[in-house]
Amino acid sequence: MESFFKQLTLANQQWMQGWINAAKVPDAPAQPVTMLHDLIQHFSQNHGQWLEHHTNYYQEHLNLWLGLIGAKPAAEKPASEKGGDRRFKAPEWETPLFDYIKQNYLITSRWLVNLADSSHSDEATREKIAFFTRQFVDAISPANFALTNPEVLKLAVDTKGESLQEGMKKLLADMERGTITMTDESKFEVGGNLAITPGSVIFENELFQLIQYTPSTAKVYDRPLLVVPPCVNKYYIMDLQPENSMMRYIVEQGFTTFLVSWKSVTPELGNLQWDDYIERGVLEAGRVVREITAREKMNVLSFCIGGEIVTTSIPVMQARGLDWFESITLMTVMLDHTEPGDIKHCFDWNTVIQRETQVARGGVVSGKELARTFASLRANDLIWNYVVNNYLKGQTPPPFDLLYWNNDGANLALPMHTFFLRNMYLENNLTKPNSFSLCGVPIDLTKVDVPTYIFAAREDHIVPWQSAYRTTGIFSGPIRFVLGASGHIAGAINPVTSNKRNYWVNEALPEEAEAWLEGAESRPGSWWQDWSQWLGNRSGEQVAAPKKPGNAKYKVIEPAPGRYVKERI
């Protein structure tokens, strides 16, 4: 226990130091030295507001204490649980002592959040203050600690301490792995019950394997489809189990389908640039698909950062006279980073400038680091929920294929990732024609004129749908924009068979995203139906399905899903 509290103290010190230093931004427009300096400066000049904040805070605590000792009716408690807050739903939180602890926390957290929100600094700094304050508030919840969580204490008594003992074992095991266990991983195997849509690896280089899927229909569309997933995750989010596999659905619709399976970067590949993902990735895959199918053009489906790689490939292809793409689909892809959401607080100029000093030597950005960054955006759901259930209660989380995938990350090359952060996130260069070059070609996305299908998810915390919509104002070709319900993954991977959720369509493309939504029509079920119809109209005639994968030049290397996707970091 003494060691536990030492670790807690150290963690709190690190949180506070990060909160203080997070706004130090060299080589950026002038702003206060730190967020804490800015906040203190504001309240030192607004004594009345500072006094009001503190008076209300202390009054609420006084009311809470009077309620605990019976001097005030319990119904007059000054703070109550947020609707849907799963942390405090158990009846054990309703006993007087733990209700007091809970209410104390809610009062204090509300005070801290209001304090951060009331800063009169510039909007960017105020948002950063609020973000890290929420992170701190989530971390210090009484639900996260054994001695202040009545559910944990009751379970420990009921099991005679076995729950705490089992939780310690799980904590030590996860410390060795370097990641939090989110699901029962013993229930899943890539190539066993995940990523099992039949196919063959028919090409590979040091960067990717190319999978050609086995047709499941007697006839297929003449024009092939190339799928480019994100390189920051394993591709099988698009090919989980048969009932929720997007790849299986695509093949069943009669599309001649190829997929890029990116390799998780190893130290010897640590000098890879963004140019390599274009030259030795998208262009190489496109060349092989054309040679195998003997077709001039293909359709391309891309997901998340895979869409940015595909999109930046097009100006390079245009400069070389390579008219290979009949259409492209961007699935939860952000090209305009004007408002990237909360993730902007995790990547700043400090990060980029520090890493740029190491770019010449190369290196690897760990997939585990990237996974922790994304998890921090929903800390209560993706971090503290598992801390409580796994380590404090000693429970094994239930099997969930999506969370197994979520913990199976991929490494990126430091030069490629650093280039991405500077040019896409911080400088927003994809919206500025000819502001930078790739493969020796100035990048101008306003000249992208191929038919484009854009899908965004309404509750996406990684690619806000309004930011995805901004692509409609960049490209010059015909565009169809469709908005799905739910988030980044659940919105995109929405099987037709389950008939869940809904999606919105609107043939008009007004300048503002909200105006588009006001005029949109809601349709039940999966957006996959709308997309497959759109894609079918651009896929040529129906012809007899090929009997064998590859050709005389590109022979089968191994069955899908291939070696690359099975590598664990």
Side-chain angles (χ1 to χ4, degrees):
M1 188 62 67
E2 180 182 356
S3 174
F4 174 80
F5 279 109
K6 284 182 179 178
Q7 291 295 321
L8 175 61
T9 301
L10 178 60
N12 283 340
Q13 290 173 346
Q14 292 173 341
W15 271 99
M16 183 58 69
Q17 190 61 46
W19 191 71
I20 292 171
N21 292 334
K24 291 181 179 177
V25 187
D27 293 357
Q31 57 180 287
V33 176
T34 66
M35 293 186 299
L36 185 60
H37 171 274
D38 178 71
L39 197 59
I40 292 173
Q41 189 78 6
H42 161 66
F43 281 112
S44 67
Q45 298 171 2
N46 295 272
H47 301 290
Q49 189 176 2
W50 176 269
L51 182 61
E52 181 183 355
H53 270 282
H54 278 67
T55 300
N56 292 338
Y57 176 63
Y58 291 130
Q59 184 63 55
E60 285 186 316
H61 272 290
L62 177 60
N63 292 342
L64 181 61
W65 176 251
L66 292 174
L68 179 66
I69 63 176
K72 250 192 172 184
E76 295 185 19
K77 289 183 290 192
S80 60
E81 301 88 341
K82 299 175 183 178
D85 192 336
R86 295 182 297 174
R87 296 175 296 178
F88 307 117
K89 278 191 171 182
E92 288 83 2
W93 286 100
E94 297 306 316
T95 61
L97 174 61
F98 288 103
D99 181 67
Y100 175 82
I101 292 173
K102 172 187 65 179
Q103 296 291 344
N104 184 301
Y105 164 74
L106 291 172
I107 290 171
T108 302
S109 61
R110 186 175 64 182
W111 172 70
L112 284 170
V113 170
N114 289 341
L115 200 65
D117 288 342
S118 63
S119 169
H120 287 184
S121 57
D122 63 272
E123 183 178 357
T125 303
R126 186 170 59 253
E127 288 180 357
K128 189 181 286 284
I129 293 171
F131 174 77
F132 283 105
T133 300
R134 291 193 302 271
Q135 295 280 308
F136 182 76
V137 163
D138 289 345
I140 62 172
S141 166
N144 298 339
F145 304 98
L147 295 180
T148 53
N149 187 324
E151 299 174 69
V152 173
L153 294 175
K154 182 178 183 299
L155 186 61
V157 171
D158 292 345
T159 62
K160 298 180 180 179
E162 289 184 11
S163 59
L164 294 176
Q165 184 179 7
E166 186 62 27
M168 185 58 65
K169 291 179 183 178
K170 295 182 183 298
L171 173 60
L172 293 173
D174 281 359
M175 288 175 66
E176 289 184 5
R177 296 172 67 242
T179 186
I180 296 174
T181 298
M182 296 183 177
T183 185
D184 184 353
E185 297 191 0
S186 66
K187 304 297 184 183
F188 301 105
E189 178 189 0
V190 177
N193 58 352
L194 299 176
I196 59 173
T197 300
S200 304
V201 176
I202 43 81
F203 173 83
E204 68 180 34
N205 60 20
E206 71 280 8
L207 192 55
F208 75 95
Q209 289 187 317
L210 186 65
I211 296 172
Q212 181 177 2
Y213 284 100
T214 304
S216 61
T217 54
K219 289 190 173 183
V220 296
Y221 285 103
D222 185 50
R223 182 168 293 123
L225 171 68
L226 173 63
V227 180
V228 182
C231 52
V232 69
N233 299 109
K234 302 292 183 63
Y235 85 80
Y236 66 88
I237 186 58
M238 305 178 74
D239 187 24
L240 291 168
Q241 299 181 84
E243 60 270 18
N244 59 354
S245 169
M246 187 174 191
M247 298 315 303
R248 179 178 289 268
Y249 172 80
I250 290 172
V251 173
E252 288 175 347
Q253 303 314 300
F255 295 108
T256 303
T257 309
F258 296 80
L259 178 140
V260 171
S261 174
W262 298 106
K263 182 178 178 62
S264 178
V265 170
T266 51
E268 58 269 22
L269 297 175
N271 287 302
L272 287 171
Q273 308 278 342
W274 190 276
D275 297 48
D276 295 311
Y277 281 80
I278 293 177
E279 198 78 68
R280 294 147 66 185
V282 172
L283 297 191
E284 188 75 348
R287 181 185 62 78
V288 175
V289 169
R290 292 177 79 246
E291 291 185 18
I292 289 176
T293 62
R295 298 296 180 266
E296 290 293 321
K297 288 190 172 186
M298 68 199 75
N299 295 302
V300 181
L301 165 64
S302 58
F303 187 11
C304 196
I305 193 176
E308 290 175 277
I309 297 173
V310 166
T311 301
T312 52
S313 299
I314 294 176
V316 176
M317 296 169 65
Q318 289 174 331
R320 298 179 183 180
L322 306 178
D323 185 17
W324 292 357
F325 295 169
E326 177 69 18
S327 76
I328 61 172
T329 297
L330 304 179
M331 186 164 69
T332 64
V333 176
M334 179 163 48
L335 300 181
D336 186 329
H337 292 75
T338 301
E339 184 43 67
D342 282 343
I343 198 171
K344 66 186 175 185
H345 305 304
C346 303
F347 304 124
D348 59 15
W349 286 99
N350 284 320
T351 305
V352 171
I353 292 173
Q354 180 184 17
R355 289 184 173 180
E356 284 181 337
T357 62
Q358 307 168 26
V359 162
R361 300 193 302 271
V364 171
V365 178
S366 170
K368 292 180 179 179
E369 173 191 332
L370 296 169
R372 286 193 293 269
T373 298
F374 290 123
S376 71
L377 302 180
R378 293 173 54 199
N380 280 334
D381 292 334
L382 297 178
I383 298 177
W384 302 116
N385 173 51
Y386 297 102
V387 168
V388 173
N389 285 287
N390 297 7
Y391 310 149
L392 301 187
K393 296 182 178 180
Q395 298 174 348
T396 299
F400 189 10
D401 52 8
L402 193 152
L403 290 177
Y404 178 89
W405 166 84
N406 194 61
N407 255 7
D408 186 14
N411 297 332
L412 292 178
L414 177 67
M416 178 267 195
H417 187 247
T418 304
F419 177 90
F420 169 68
L421 293 183
R422 172 180 279 276
N423 284 278
M424 281 63 162
Y425 267 98
L426 297 183
E427 296 185 348
N428 203 16
N429 283 334
L430 292 179
T431 65
K432 305 170 185 175
N434 304 316
S435 59
F436 71 111
S437 295
L438 291 166
C439 303
V441 176
I443 301 302
D444 182 358
L445 298 188
T446 64
K447 294 181 179 179
V448 175
D449 57 1
V450 297
T452 302
Y453 188 104
I454 300 174
F455 170 80
R458 192 170 183 179
E459 299 168 28
D460 195 334
H461 66 292
I462 296 175
V463 178
W465 79 268
Q466 296 91 342
S467 296
Y469 184 81
R470 289 175 182 266
T471 300
T472 63
I474 299 176
F475 289 178
S476 57
I479 293 175
R480 181 171 181 79
F481 183 87
V482 171
L483 180 64
S486 197
H488 189 70
I489 299 299
I493 307 304
N494 182 19
V496 171
T497 51
S498 63
N499 201 32
K500 291 182 179 179
R501 307 185 185 93
N502 66 303
Y503 62 96
W504 292 265
V505 297
N506 185 350
E507 303 299 333
L509 294 174
E511 183 176 348
E512 297 299 327
E514 296 299 339
W516 179 92
L517 183 58
E518 286 179 10
E521 170 196 348
S522 175
R523 296 181 181 177
S526 172
W527 67 277
W528 293 1
Q529 303 167 86
D530 183 85
W531 173 75
S532 60
Q533 181 179 353
W534 180 89
L535 187 67
N537 293 333
R538 290 158 179 79
S539 297
E541 300 177 350
Q542 294 270 327
V543 298
K547 296 180 179 180
K548 294 181 180 180
N551 59 16
K553 181 178 179 181
Y554 299 105
K555 301 182 183 299
V556 172
I557 298 173
E558 59 183 332
R563 304 185 315 281
Y564 286 8
V565 75
K566 294 181 180 180
E567 296 172 353
R568 298 289 297 237
I569 60 173

